[in-house]
């Protein structure tokens, strides 16, 4: 009987300590990649006023744009829009190289475009296998907070 009790105690101890669910299985997805813009939300919050947000769903031409974040903190942003002169075609509306910094812990992002003095500052609010939400803040006006939150879809590498 003592052997059976000892065997049961040993098995109980093994079961209690053998399984560890405390493993940190959080997956960190990289910002590095090619991103397709899907939509943006523009938010304005006047001091002491009512916040206003507008969601802008992109056209097919705007969705042809790309934001590319390369390893080494360089990238390129290409925006596209409907051609004003040739209906049914898309034109490049913004095409600039940039450098960026990204702090994984605080999720802070700073993007400095070639030829533009002031960098865009903001935060990554969502970053997973398929989606990036990037909020760029404009705090230059002390009477109003403005931000644009871009939603992107990751373009798989070919």
């Amino acid at each position: 009987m003592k052997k059976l009790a000892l065997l049961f105690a040993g098995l109980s101890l093994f079961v209690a300590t053998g399984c560890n669910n405390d493993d940190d299985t959080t997956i960190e997805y990289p910002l590095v990649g090619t991103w397709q813009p899907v939509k943006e939300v523009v938010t304005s919050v006047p001091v002491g006023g009512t916040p206003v947000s507008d969601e802008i769903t992109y056209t097919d031409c705007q969705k042809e744009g790309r934001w590319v974040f390369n390893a080494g903190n360089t990238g390129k942003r290409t925006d596209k829009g409907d051609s004003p002169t040739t209906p049914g075609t898309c034109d490049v509306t913004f095409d600039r190289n940039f450098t960026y910094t990204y702090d994984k812990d605080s999720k802070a992002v700073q993007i400095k475009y070639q030829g533009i003095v002031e960098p865009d500052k903001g935060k990554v609010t969502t970053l997973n296998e398929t989606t990036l939400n990037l909020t760029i803040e404009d705090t230059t006006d002390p009477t109003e907070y403005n931000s644009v939150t871009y939603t992107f879809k990751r373009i798989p590498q070919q």
Side-chain angles (χ1 to χ4, degrees):
M1 189 67 163
K2 284 184 181 180
K3 288 182 182 179
L4 187 57
L6 196 57
L7 178 64
F8 181 71
L11 284 175
S12 297
L13 183 62
F14 176 73
V15 169
T17 60
C19 296
N20 184 357
N21 290 334
D22 295 336
D23 291 342
D24 184 12
T25 57
T26 303
I27 297 174
E28 284 192 32
Y29 294 97
L31 180 61
V32 171
T34 301
W35 298 92
Q36 172 189 14
V38 177
K39 68 178 181 175
E40 66 183 60
V41 176
V42 179
T43 302
S44 297
V45 183
V47 173
T50 304
V52 176
S53 289
D54 291 317
E55 182 176 326
I56 301 164
T57 303
Y58 285 174
T59 66
D60 289 340
C61 278
Q62 289 171 315
K63 289 179 182 178
E64 285 186 18
R66 296 292 182 265
W67 290 40
V68 179
F69 291 87
N70 298 314
N73 296 359
T74 64
K76 184 169 185 160
R77 176 180 172 180
T78 304
D79 294 347
K80 291 192 174 185
D82 295 312
S83 173
T85 56
T86 312
T89 61
C90 304
D91 287 344
V92 173
T93 59
F94 185 86
D95 191 37
R96 290 263 166 82
N97 292 320
F98 62 81
T99 58
Y100 71 95
T101 58
Y102 173 55
D103 180 8
K104 290 180 187 176
D105 295 328
S106 69
K107 307 295 185 199
V109 173
Q110 183 170 316
I111 300 172
K112 184 164 176 35
Y113 291 99
Q114 181 179 15
I116 298 177
V117 175
E118 283 296 313
D120 285 344
K121 296 177 183 176
K123 193 169 208 168
V124 170
T125 54
T126 303
L127 177 56
N128 60 38
E129 185 177 8
T130 59
T131 304
L132 166 64
N133 285 337
L134 174 63
T135 300
I136 301 296
E137 301 173 324
D138 179 2
T139 57
T140 56
D141 183 352
T143 64
E144 185 172 71
Y145 167 84
N146 294 294
S147 70
V148 178
T149 300
Y150 298 95
T151 298
F152 298 94
K153 180 175 95 173
R154 188 184 297 273
I155 303 296
Q157 297 299 320
Q158 313 221 21

